[in-house]
Structures are given as structure tokens and as C-alpha cells.
Amino acid sequence: MHDVQSEGAAPGLRERKKQATRTALSEAAVRLAAVHGAENVTVEAISEAAGVSPRTFFNYFDSHDDAFVMIDRTVGERVRRAVRDAPAGLTAIEAVREALATELTHVEESQEIWALRSTVLHRSPHLLLRGMGAHVAEEYQLARTIAERLGSPPAPEPDSPEAPGTGKTPAPPESCAKGPDTSHLGLYPRLLAAVATTAVRVAIEHWCAQGDSDSFPDTFRRVFGHLADGLTEPPADG
């Protein structure tokens, strides 16, 4: 997936190079972890395989584990921008679907990496949990955007006191026990953001398992078709 310089602009050379380096580091990390286990792969080994220095590695990832999780926050920013800018005639779920479909255009070029990444994460539960935590943070941001699209006033930033437990600020123990308070977002935006995130994961995992029998865009739209239909049961042969 590419990076962008500004809203509506094509990615510049510098941004394309940065994205290429990040991708190379992530792919090197996943390939090495698939063979040796993530715990046995060092930053030095990842950097060498990607052809950069360990110092460069930390320009792209805050920690060793982040390279395996493959979370790129610029992706979430682009998805949210696309949802905000989607035509007014689209429903919220249609706007989210089209934003995600655009961002996932290049998934088919990386089927092997997505499959290896799934294997790596399931072999290392702490990485799986780290990925889930990152996705929850992205869900909150997407839910904020959906709520605003539906006419709600802007929700507080995740790190603010008004949004306990949703950002880097530690939440009180009692808040942790019952989960982050996202009631200010409304039920529908929070649910749609969470379901859409899960739908992407299911689409990718199902497509990887099916091999080349279906294209990824077809699989993705089938998944969102089920959501739009209210998850009614498909015919027995479907």
C-alpha cells in the first residue's frame, strides 16, 4: 500500500521510498520469523535482510515486535480521510467499504506475506495480542470518523481524559476491568468500526486459505455483502 503526501495528492518519491523501506523491513521480519520464530530474530538480522542499518529500522518501528505486527498508522489515516470525503449519498457502511477496498487494492500482490504473517502471529501469542491492541486503537479512531460523518460532534482524542483507556494514558483499574468507555461515540459508529476491522481480517484469512480460487476483491466484497445484508443466513449451497 502506498503512502501519500497530502490529501488528494499522488505519493511523492520520498514517500514512496519510505514506504518501500518499511515494507522491506516488515517482509524481512515476517520471512525470518516464519523460519526461526519471532523471538529468535534480531533487529540486526531484519535490517541486514532488508539492506538497511539497525538505526534505520528504528526510524520506522518503535520496537522489535512492531515489525512483525505490520501496523502502519498512515493506512488508518488514509481510510479515515476517505470516509470523511466519501459522497454524501453513500451510507456509512458503504463509505467504510469503499475506503477499505481502495486501501487493500494491493493485497493480492502480497498473498504469501499475509499468510506467513498469520502463521507468525499465531505462533507468538504476545504478538497477536499486540496486533489486537493496535487494531482496537485504530477502531476507535475510525468510530470517531463514522460518528462525525453521521452528524455527531467531534469525539475526544484517544489520549484525552474524556476517553479513558483508549490511548497511551493508563486508565484506572476499575476502568480497565470494564473496558474502555466509548459510549460518547454512540453504539452504531463503534460497532461498524469494529465489525469492519474484523471483516478485513476474515476476508484476508479466508482468501489466503482458498489460494487462487477467488480474487481478493471478490472475497472482500462478499464479506461486506454479508454485513450489508444484516448477516442473514446464506442458502445451503452458499
Side-chain angles (χ1 to χ4, degrees):
M1 303 182 208
H2 351 268
D3 205 353
V4 294
Q5 285 183 298
S6 60
E7 190 170 327
L13 178 60
R14 182 169 177 270
E15 294 303 324
R16 290 199 301 272
K17 287 183 175 179
K18 286 173 60 178
Q19 188 59 39
T21 300
R22 184 186 180 91
T23 298
L25 285 164
S26 290
E27 291 189 359
V30 169
R31 291 184 189 281
L32 288 169
V35 176
H36 304 290
E39 295 77 9
N40 301 314
V41 177
T42 64
V43 167
E44 288 75 16
I46 296 168
S47 302
E48 181 179 357
V52 300
S53 69
R55 183 176 178 179
T56 298
F57 176 95
F58 289 106
N59 289 336
Y60 293 88
F61 302 102
D62 293 333
S63 73
H64 164 272
D65 289 353
D66 287 344
F68 306 103
V69 176
M70 293 172 64
I71 293 294
D72 185 349
R73 287 179 175 79
T74 63
V75 172
E77 292 167 5
R78 290 195 297 269
V79 168
R80 294 191 294 274
R81 183 187 303 121
V83 170
R84 286 193 296 268
D85 294 345
L90 294 184
T91 64
I93 191 171
E94 289 171 340
V96 171
R97 180 195 65 202
E98 294 307 309
L100 290 170
T102 298
E103 198 57 52
L104 293 166
T105 301
H106 304 288
V107 164
E108 285 193 327
E109 300 170 8
S110 307
Q111 183 174 12
E112 179 194 10
I113 290 296
W114 282 104
L116 288 176
R117 175 179 175 269
S118 179
T119 298
V120 168
L121 294 185
H122 282 87
R123 285 180 183 170
S124 302
H126 76 285
L127 292 179
L128 193 60
L129 289 174
R130 191 181 189 90
M132 290 173 63
H135 283 300
V136 167
E138 288 295 320
E139 281 177 19
Y140 177 83
Q141 293 286 8
L142 179 58
R144 291 179 72 234
T145 300
I146 294 169
E148 291 169 18
R149 180 179 173 86
L150 293 175
S152 298
E157 288 290 343
D159 291 335
S160 71
E162 293 82 5
T166 54
K168 296 179 181 178
T169 306
E174 62 272 16
S175 179
C176 292
K178 62 184 179 181
D181 179 9
T182 57
S183 58
H184 55 280
L185 291 175
L187 180 60
Y188 182 80
R190 187 69 183 85
L191 179 61
L192 176 54
V195 170
T197 301
T198 300
V200 170
R201 176 177 58 81
V202 170
I204 291 175
E205 290 180 353
H206 180 78
W207 175 71
C208 285
Q210 293 296 309
D212 296 327
S213 59
D214 291 308
S215 70
F216 176 74
D218 288 344
T219 300
F220 176 84
R221 291 190 179 276
R222 281 171 57 202
V223 169
F224 264 80
H226 286 306
L227 295 183
D229 290 342
L231 290 178
T232 56
E233 291 189 24
D237 61 353

